[in-house]
Amino acid sequence: MTSMVRKYKRKSTQHSWSEEGMKNAISDCKAGNLSVAMAAKTYDVPLTTLYRKMKLNSSAEEASQKKLGRYRPTFTKEQEQQLRDYILLMEKRLFGLSMRDFRSLAYQYAELNRIPHSFCKKTALAGEDWVSNFLKRNPEISLRLPEKTSAARAAAFNRPNVANFFALLGELMDKYHFTASQIYNCDETGLSTVPNKPSKILSLKGKKQIGSLSSAERGTLVTAEICVSASGHYIPPLLIFPRVRLNPLFDVGLPPDSVVVCHPSGWMQTDIFVVWFKHFVRYAKPTNTDPVLLIMDGHATHTKNIEMMELAKSTNVHILILPPHTSHRLQPLDVSYMFPLSAFYEQEVRAWQRNHPGKVVTIHNVGALFGKAYQRASTQQNATSGFQNTGIFPYNPHIFPDDLFEPSETTNRELPPTPPAALENLIQEVNNTTPPPAATTSSIPDKPQSKSQKLLAPEEILPIPKADVQLKQRTNRNRGKTMILTSTPNMEEIKEKHSTPKIPTKAVKRKISSSPKINNCPVKRKQENKNTEKKVFVESDLSGSNETISYADSSESPDAENESELSFEEDRPLHYSTVSVADIHPNDYVLIDLQDEAKKTKKRFVAQVMCAKKNRINVKFMREYRQSKNIYVFPAIPDESEVFLNEIIGRLHSYELLRYGKIKFL
């Protein structure tokens, strides 16, 4: 029976008249303006139905309501209006109700107010048919998928923080009269070899699970620094690859004049941001008569970068920091640019995988894919709309409506206690007046509610969440704030805070075990007297893998302050000869030692020379073939890099070419 009701299709035209037309017809007939026949013809309502409605002893609004058979609506229009307002209020506070939450609320609302209903008492939920009809009667409400918003963002985007930001922005605008071409915004974004959110695709309707090809379960992240002005002028981007050495493949396909740097983490660093800032000054061209305003977030690489602040002060760049956790509303790039860029980048990755079946996206392809997405997203409309929608340019401090500040009401604290003077006046006023008689109320009335009695509101049944009163403020935490970073007081405060020398802690002596290990490999220790000469012994695995270094005594360990140079044994597993720059030619095979600064070890590699320039040589590294002795192959993805001449320990002469591209060195 339930499924029949939901799938029922109307087969007649009965009750096709509008309630508004019936209401106007009844009102004109009762007022004597029109006859019943003329009113039925004028407002297009059935004549017999209008006759029947006129005989009812009720108002025109009640008589005009449609009623099918013996079924009556559970709630009146006023009660449904209360439920609708409560749903919208909870959604504004970021505590939106799910379908099950709303069904439970409707049931409790009917039960506690003693409203007759036909809801299921076993499940304590309103029916699905009632919810479906409720949504039809209130078309402004729909079931939608929300976007996750952090609690910090919900609490930080409030009127005081926004007002402070616009006060500082207005102060700079009044003093320097910045134009659209002089206001810039910069921000970092991540580019992964595996995009987070794939685009929607066409598929078979009703299929439970739809797949999309990706290069791996988790991708490698590359950071890109984007900067744009309010007039639509884009500064060439900077990309940070998670590598130690630059690779020529990183530059392929990037926008013109882009900057490529490397760092093991792939994240923005203080020194890298200084490199980007010099790049920004070169293209923004600020002068004493035409200064530039740069708006950015309060990341540590920005607000604790003393070198960058001094450089900005000397080059006429004024830096304004956004309030913490408000970039989703106040940062132009976040508002209008980053989403198109990520969507276009995902489309380019999907197109590349379709054109290269069987291959995966690596960081060597990120530059070309990002370059295509950057050209598509970097339009003037995306740039100007971001500054306009945030109220930065044109300057509009009242750009945000009141409903955007609703989420911060959850964490708003109560007002401070009333002052003693005001409290005494309040007590006197209370003493001079007679208190009203106390009224006894019950949450669940014993009798059905009448029209004169007040109903329990949805807020009383399911209270709106509110944070508890904060009893004690934490004062030992450095909280970020919106500020003009290049102002003299702020710069002096930051310099004083970060230039204060730290009190050195007392060194703790650690016990060294009798069988030490380096890189999880056992180390052979040679017993010698303390006065004897310090020596270093090296064990090689004869195949170019990591070499284990054993030290003569504990003072020569990698943690020692004065580290001596590492000397290797003379006998080598591979036959080679020492070379100079003149002896190195393209396609030669060389043996390379690279220093691992973190682990204080050296790794030995075999590589093929591509070209040589003075003391720098471009090489293509090889890999061991299934841990076979002295057999190497080139990887499927070329591993090219630049090494120095002093890192090449010799040239390999004797080798034998095997099948499938394998090379055996003798």
Side-chain angles (χ1 to χ4, degrees):
M1 180 64 69
T2 304
S3 59
M4 182 275 294
V5 173
R6 296 198 192 101
K7 297 181 180 180
Y8 175 77
K9 294 183 180 180
R10 190 177 180 87
K11 299 181 179 63
S12 67
T13 59
Q14 293 183 357
H15 277 224
S16 60
W17 44 268
S18 64
E19 294 184 356
E20 187 67 22
M22 182 64 72
K23 177 182 176 181
N24 296 333
I26 295 174
S27 300
D28 288 345
C29 290
K30 288 186 176 181
N33 299 331
L34 296 174
S35 63
V36 177
M38 185 60 68
K41 186 176 181 181
T42 303
Y43 294 102
D44 193 19
V45 295
L47 178 62
T48 55
T49 305
L50 181 58
Y51 269 118
R52 188 175 72 254
K53 297 286 186 181
M54 289 289 297
K55 295 179 182 179
L56 299 177
N57 188 16
S58 58
S59 62
E61 184 175 359
E62 294 181 0
S64 62
Q65 294 181 0
K66 295 180 180 181
K67 298 178 181 179
L68 294 175
R70 61 185 179 87
Y71 296 103
R72 297 293 179 267
T74 304
F75 303 115
T76 62
K77 287 187 175 182
E78 291 77 11
Q79 294 168 353
E80 286 198 356
Q81 181 72 16
Q82 277 190 341
L83 293 173
R84 185 187 73 87
D85 294 342
Y86 178 76
I87 291 174
L88 297 180
L89 179 59
M90 290 290 284
E91 183 269 327
K92 291 178 182 178
R93 296 287 183 91
L94 304 183
F95 292 100
L97 301 180
S98 65
M99 189 66 75
R100 186 178 182 84
D101 294 337
F102 178 58
R103 292 171 61 189
S104 176
L105 173 65
Y107 177 84
Q108 296 180 42
Y109 185 71
E111 279 288 315
L112 297 177
N113 290 308
R114 299 296 183 185
I115 298 174
H117 63 84
S118 58
F119 301 149
C120 179
K121 294 187 177 181
K122 183 178 180 180
T123 60
L125 297 174
E128 295 181 7
D129 297 323
W130 178 86
V131 175
S132 177
N133 293 327
F134 175 85
L135 296 177
K136 291 180 181 179
R137 292 189 294 270
N138 300 274
E140 63 274 16
I141 299 177
S142 62
L143 188 65
R144 301 182 61 182
L145 182 65
E147 180 181 354
K148 291 185 290 186
T149 304
S150 64
R153 287 189 170 186
F157 189 76
N158 51 53
R159 286 202 175 275
N161 286 345
V162 175
N164 292 338
F165 169 75
F166 278 104
L168 296 177
L169 178 62
E171 178 183 341
L172 292 171
M173 296 287 286
D174 294 339
K175 185 176 181 180
Y176 298 101
H177 306 286
F178 293 111
T179 61
S181 59
Q182 296 173 304
I183 302 176
Y184 287 85
N185 174 229
C186 69
D187 190 25
E188 298 88 6
T189 185
L191 307 169
S192 177
T193 55
V194 180
N196 295 329
K197 187 177 181 181
S199 302
K200 293 182 179 180
I201 60 174
L202 297 176
S203 176
L204 179 65
K205 188 175 181 180
K207 189 176 180 180
K208 292 185 178 180
Q209 188 174 5
I210 303 172
S212 178
L213 184 66
S214 63
S215 298
E217 296 294 334
R218 296 180 62 183
T220 304
L221 185 69
V222 177
T223 302
E225 182 76 21
I226 311 294
C227 185
V228 65
S229 70
S231 63
H233 174 226
Y234 289 86
I235 303 294
L238 176 142
L239 275 74
I240 308 173
F241 285 85
R243 291 293 184 269
V244 177
R245 297 171 181 267
L246 288 175
N247 192 315
L249 296 177
F250 295 160
D251 296 327
V252 177
L254 285 177
D257 296 338
S258 298
V259 180
V260 177
V261 294
C262 291
H263 190 270
S265 67
W267 295 91
M268 178 60 72
Q269 307 295 320
T270 302
D271 54 343
I272 297 179
F273 192 76
V274 173
V275 173
W276 175 86
F277 188 80
K278 294 178 181 178
H279 173 71
F280 164 77
V281 172
R282 186 163 54 253
Y283 283 89
K285 299 179 180 179
T287 61
N288 192 17
T289 56
D290 295 324
V292 167
L293 174 62
L294 180 60
I295 301 173
M296 62 178 70
D297 55 32
H299 194 264
T301 57
H302 306 162
T303 57
K304 298 179 181 180
N305 199 333
I306 299 176
E307 182 181 356
M308 184 271 299
M309 288 186 286
E310 293 178 346
L311 187 61
K313 191 80 171 179
S314 61
T315 55
N316 301 297
V317 177
H318 302 274
I319 299 177
L320 179 60
I321 301 298
L322 294 168
H325 308 293
T326 59
S327 60
H328 63 297
R329 301 287 187 190
L330 290 176
Q331 181 140 253
L333 285 172
D334 276 349
V335 171
S336 66
Y337 183 81
M338 292 305 182
F339 181 79
L341 178 65
S342 62
F344 292 146
Y345 178 75
E346 189 275 335
Q347 294 174 11
E348 295 296 337
V349 171
R350 187 153 41 88
W352 188 93
Q353 291 177 330
R354 187 182 298 117
N355 296 328
H356 299 80
K359 296 184 179 181
V360 297
V361 178
T362 65
I363 60 172
H364 302 92
N365 310 117
V366 169
L369 298 175
F370 168 75
K372 295 179 181 179
Y374 183 83
Q375 297 293 341
R376 296 174 59 186
S378 301
T379 62
Q380 189 175 12
Q381 181 180 1
N382 287 343
T384 55
S385 61
F387 286 88
Q388 183 178 358
N389 293 336
T390 54
I392 295 177
F393 190 89
Y395 179 74
N396 185 10
H398 308 291
I399 188 69
F400 300 108
D402 294 336
D403 60 328
L404 294 182
F405 298 102
E406 285 288 344
S408 63
E409 294 295 328
T410 303
T411 55
N412 281 352
R413 306 301 178 186
E414 297 180 357
L415 295 175
T418 309
L423 182 61
E424 293 179 359
N425 298 334
L426 182 61
I427 294 175
Q428 291 180 0
E429 293 179 3
V430 173
N431 293 335
N432 294 334
T433 58
T434 57
T440 58
T441 58
S442 176
S443 59
I444 304 178
D446 296 334
K447 298 181 180 180
Q449 292 279 4
S450 63
K451 294 183 179 180
S452 60
Q453 290 177 323
K454 184 179 179 181
L455 297 175
L456 285 175
E459 293 85 352
E460 299 174 313
I461 300 173
L462 187 61
I464 298 175
K466 185 71 176 178
D468 297 334
V469 179
Q470 192 170 0
L471 300 178
K472 185 179 180 180
Q473 295 284 348
R474 292 186 293 178
T475 58
N476 59 346
R477 182 178 177 183
N478 295 327
R479 297 182 179 273
K481 62 179 180 179
T482 178
M483 61 179 172
I484 303 174
L485 190 62
T486 51
S487 63
T488 303
N490 290 330
M491 288 183 62
E492 295 297 331
E493 181 182 355
I494 294 173
K495 287 181 181 179
E496 182 181 359
K497 183 183 300 182
H498 296 285
S499 62
T500 304
K502 296 182 179 180
I503 301 175
T505 58
K506 186 178 180 181
V508 180
K509 294 184 178 180
R510 302 183 182 274
K511 295 182 179 180
I512 301 177
S513 61
S514 58
S515 58
K517 291 185 178 182
I518 297 179
N519 299 335
N520 296 326
C521 298
V523 176
K524 296 182 180 180
R525 188 182 300 278
K526 186 175 181 179
Q527 300 294 336
E528 290 189 1
N529 297 329
K530 294 183 179 180
N531 297 329
T532 58
E533 183 181 358
K534 300 175 181 179
K535 297 181 180 180
V536 180
F537 300 91
V538 181
E539 294 178 350
S540 176
D541 59 356
L542 308 182
S543 60
S545 60
N546 295 1
E547 293 181 329
T548 305
I549 304 171
S550 59
Y551 295 88
D553 56 20
S554 59
S555 62
E556 285 292 320
S557 64
D559 297 331
E561 296 181 358
N562 300 324
E563 180 184 358
S564 61
E565 296 182 358
L566 303 180
S567 59
F568 295 91
E569 295 177 341
E570 291 300 330
D571 51 336
R572 298 288 184 176
L574 300 178
H575 299 284
Y576 68 95
S577 63
T578 57
V579 294
S580 61
V581 182
D583 298 331
I584 296 178
H585 304 284
N587 299 328
D588 286 347
Y589 296 98
V590 293
L591 199 61
I592 302 174
D593 276 351
L594 298 181
Q595 180 75 26
D596 190 344
E597 299 293 343
K599 299 180 180 179
K600 304 298 181 183
T601 59
K602 282 190 177 182
K603 297 181 181 179
R604 183 158 298 172
F605 299 94
V606 174
Q608 186 182 28
V609 177
M610 299 175 62
C611 62
K613 298 178 181 178
K614 294 183 179 180
N615 63 337
R616 296 188 178 185
I617 296 92
N618 289 337
V619 298
K620 184 161 52 174
F621 288 99
M622 305 183 70
R623 295 288 184 268
E624 277 188 309
Y625 179 73
R626 298 181 181 177
Q627 298 181 353
S628 299
K629 184 177 180 181
N630 297 347
I631 298 179
Y632 293 83
V633 294
F634 290 103
I637 301 173
D639 187 3
E640 301 174 2
S641 184
E642 188 179 71
V643 298
F644 294 97
L645 180 62
N646 57 2
E647 294 175 332
I648 297 179
I649 63 174
R651 187 158 60 97
L652 300 171
H653 298 282
S654 302
Y655 57 87
E656 180 183 354
L657 297 178
L658 306 178
R659 291 188 303 174
Y660 309 115
K662 296 181 290 184
I663 301 177
K664 181 177 182 180
F665 294 96
L666 305 176

